[in-house]
Amino acid sequence: MGNTVNERELVMEVLLAVTRDGQYSHLALGSMLEKYQYLSKNERAFITRVSEGTLEHMIEIDYIINQFSKVKVNKMKPVIRAIVRSAVYQLKYMDSVPDSAVCNEAVKLAGKRGFSGLRGFVNGLLRNISRNMDEVKYPDPSDKIRWLSVTYSMPEWIVKQLLSDYPEETVAAILEDFQKEKPTSVRCNLSKISREDLKKALEEESVTVKLHPTLDCAMYLSDYDYLGALECFEKGYFQVQDVSSMEVAVWAAPNEGDYIIDVCAAPGGKSLHLADMLRGTGHVEARDLTEYKVNLILDNIERSGLNNIDAVCMDATVPDETSIDKADIVIADIPCSGLGVLGKKTDLKYKMTEQMQQDLVKLQREILSVVHRYVKPGGKLLYSTCTIHRAENEENAKWFEAQYPEFEKVRERQFIPGVDESDGFYIAEFRRNV
């Protein structure tokens, strides 16, 4: 089996894991890349781009396929569907790959996976699409919801919701930003190394580094192969974290000696940031629901080298009587619909539903109704989500203020993709007065 076929077969496996088996794309792809670390940088880059790109543009890809295929996408066998989808992504978005090669390799892969009888179907369909890609008829822009949905591969219910929350030009900017390739944002572990020294060390590992203009702990990385293979990562010099997420600790502004509880902490980025800011004093207790999530936090704690933080398995919806009035700061970055990070977790838009979203609003309020009791008088509660859905953000903040008048909202901010240089993220800071 040649390398080209091997790459496309691995792409197919990632797509099947996500679309057929229900795995999250970042986990499926990460597991695949870890398993095949021996592949070259170019091969790994190809697998990543085609896997992520196919998922990112899947609604548009299916729309194109259905214009040329008598067998509609949802009626195809899962293996054939994955092969055809990834091939159409390459035909439309990867000029560096010859159309003939895309078609030939897809036909070979169909045969290899036991579908020799469908090789003619795959060949005819893909060659027809490749010849007529410029003739694809998209929805009329006057049909705003349908046009935005197909153009940016966003489910129509999410488009409708965004249009009800934001102006049309903002929605277009958000959807466009989700499809842009961006560098990886990381936070420097300042207790181990200065940002300038980290920049130099990363550049010595051939990583391209850009410093964030305002956050003294933030930088952007690009042109690396496998993050886990970087010596700077292994030494715990940095943590992958979006700049908007870093703002939570910046807003919290802990004082040395503070006791901090992070109630839904995995994988631990905010907890570690706060522990770093405490400069070896105080204590951060990072809590989460399952042993799996707690182990993720523990792995990051061990790599960071910080000793003023621990991880505990605890359900945020169950009151912890021993924590009442104990915390100087409570971080409640709680489960949400994730609509602010669709540029990084592309398959989330296909998994989330309106009912799930409504259930999350209830869960967020349930958690807030429990964990606010842990804040001591004069202490702070930071409520945050990685969504741009107002019901989970501003509306929940209003509900919390009305429900618990001892808390005063100090400030809030909605970070918007395409408008702010960050993921979609919401933060509200509350202070307990009595």
Side-chain angles (χ1 to χ4, degrees):
M1 181 175 67
N3 282 342
T4 303
V5 177
N6 184 47
E7 292 166 44
R8 288 175 168 85
E9 188 165 12
L10 295 182
V11 168
M12 183 200 68
E13 294 292 356
V14 171
L15 295 179
L16 285 173
V18 175
T19 60
R20 183 190 64 190
D21 303 335
Q23 292 185 30
Y24 286 106
S25 60
H26 65 291
L27 297 178
L29 179 58
S31 175
M32 185 66 73
L33 293 176
E34 186 174 356
K35 183 178 179 181
Y36 293 93
Q37 288 185 43
Y38 61 83
L39 293 174
S40 71
K41 182 177 180 179
N42 286 341
E43 289 169 331
R44 294 161 60 82
F46 178 88
I47 293 166
T48 300
R49 180 175 175 187
V50 179
S51 299
E52 291 181 343
T54 302
L55 292 167
E56 187 172 64
H57 294 274
M58 198 160 69
I59 290 176
E60 180 192 24
I61 288 169
D62 288 357
Y63 181 86
I64 293 170
I65 294 169
N66 284 338
Q67 285 193 34
F68 295 92
S69 179
K70 291 181 180 179
V71 180
K72 300 308 178 187
V73 175
N74 63 350
K75 297 293 186 181
M76 293 179 183
K77 297 182 183 299
V79 168
I80 298 299
R81 182 164 55 225
I83 292 171
V84 171
R85 278 173 168 167
S86 62
V88 172
Y89 172 77
Q90 294 168 68
L91 291 172
K92 181 162 180 64
Y93 288 103
M94 296 182 70
D95 293 338
S96 61
V97 183
D99 288 0
S100 58
V102 173
C103 297
N104 291 338
E105 297 301 335
V107 171
K108 288 180 187 176
L109 185 52
K112 181 182 178 188
R113 294 305 294 250
F115 294 98
S116 295
L118 292 175
R119 291 172 64 187
F121 167 76
V122 171
N123 184 57
L125 173 59
L126 292 179
R127 292 193 184 280
N128 194 14
I129 292 174
S130 70
R131 287 192 300 266
N132 297 286
M133 187 68 78
D134 293 338
E135 307 301 318
V136 173
K137 295 179 181 178
Y138 283 81
D140 194 293
S142 62
D143 186 352
K144 191 184 309 178
I145 292 170
R146 181 71 172 145
W147 184 82
L148 288 170
S149 174
V150 172
T151 302
Y152 296 107
S153 285
M154 188 63 61
E156 289 190 9
W157 76 267
I158 297 179
V159 174
K160 290 178 185 176
Q161 187 177 93
L162 290 173
L163 288 170
S164 70
D165 282 348
Y166 301 98
E168 184 178 345
E169 60 270 20
T170 302
V171 173
I174 291 170
L175 297 178
E176 184 177 347
D177 187 75
F178 283 152
Q179 294 193 337
K180 289 181 179 176
E181 187 175 354
K182 302 183 186 72
T184 303
S185 58
V186 303
R187 176 183 53 78
C188 176
N189 184 355
L190 296 175
S191 62
K192 277 196 166 185
I193 191 171
S194 71
R195 190 171 67 154
E196 290 69 27
D197 286 344
L198 175 57
K199 180 177 185 291
K200 182 180 178 182
L202 284 165
E203 288 173 343
E204 288 175 355
E205 294 194 70
S206 300
V207 179
T208 299
V209 182
K210 177 186 174 185
L211 301 181
H212 190 275
T214 57
L215 287 177
D216 65 358
C217 59
M219 56 178 64
Y220 300 100
L221 312 186
S222 55
D223 300 322
Y224 60 87
D225 178 15
Y226 178 55
L227 198 67
L230 295 176
E231 187 176 352
C232 289
F233 181 82
E234 293 177 352
K235 290 182 175 180
Y237 288 167
F238 67 86
Q239 177 80 22
V240 177
Q241 192 174 356
D242 189 70
V243 292
S244 54
S245 174
M246 296 179 210
E247 291 281 5
V248 173
V250 174
W251 282 35
N255 296 313
E256 292 189 11
D258 276 354
Y259 174 58
I260 301 170
I261 299 174
D262 187 349
V263 297
C264 299
K270 299 174 192 67
S271 298
L272 289 162
H273 191 183
L274 288 159
D276 194 17
M277 293 174 73
L278 288 173
R279 302 180 185 279
T281 71
H283 191 76
V284 178
E285 184 165 293
R287 303 175 175 180
D288 221 307
L289 181 60
T290 65
E291 291 290 348
Y292 169 75
K293 289 186 174 183
V294 169
N295 284 333
L296 290 178
I297 303 170
L298 288 171
D299 287 345
N300 284 321
I301 291 174
E302 183 178 1
R303 198 169 51 80
S304 75
L306 295 165
N307 57 19
N308 59 342
I309 176 174
D310 65 353
V312 179
C313 190
M314 195 172 293
D315 186 342
T317 65
V318 178
D320 172 27
E321 300 297 328
T322 64
S323 295
I324 293 174
D325 295 343
K326 293 291 180 62
D328 297 284
I329 299 169
V330 168
I331 305 296
D333 183 74
I334 53 188
C336 72
S337 60
L339 298 188
V341 294
L342 297 182
K344 292 177 178 174
K345 299 181 179 180
T346 54
D347 58 312
L348 194 58
K349 59 189 176 185
Y350 309 121
K351 299 180 188 295
M352 184 55 54
T353 67
E354 289 181 273
Q355 184 58 56
M356 290 168 64
Q357 207 176 47
Q358 292 169 17
D359 292 342
L360 283 164
V361 171
K362 294 176 184 176
L363 175 62
Q364 290 155 358
R365 294 184 179 189
E366 182 182 0
I367 292 174
L368 287 173
S369 70
V370 171
V371 305
H372 78 277
R373 299 174 65 201
Y374 305 156
V375 183
K376 65 171 59 172
K380 303 173 186 176
L381 170 70
L382 276 294
Y383 172 65
S384 61
T385 74
C386 58
T387 190
I388 48 180
H389 179 213
R390 291 195 188 279
E392 298 175 75
N393 296 341
E394 293 94 335
E395 291 177 25
N396 261 352
K398 288 179 182 177
W399 170 87
F400 182 75
E401 267 196 304
Q403 197 78 11
Y404 304 102
E406 68 270 27
F407 283 86
E408 173 189 0
K409 186 169 65 183
V410 179
R411 51 180 169 163
E412 67 180 336
R413 180 178 175 185
Q414 177 69 68
F415 295 84
I416 301 175
V419 177
D420 302 298
E421 193 176 338
S422 71
D423 287 340
F425 202 84
Y426 174 79
I427 311 175
E429 178 188 350
F430 298 91
R431 183 176 297 278
R432 181 179 171 186
N433 292 323
V434 291

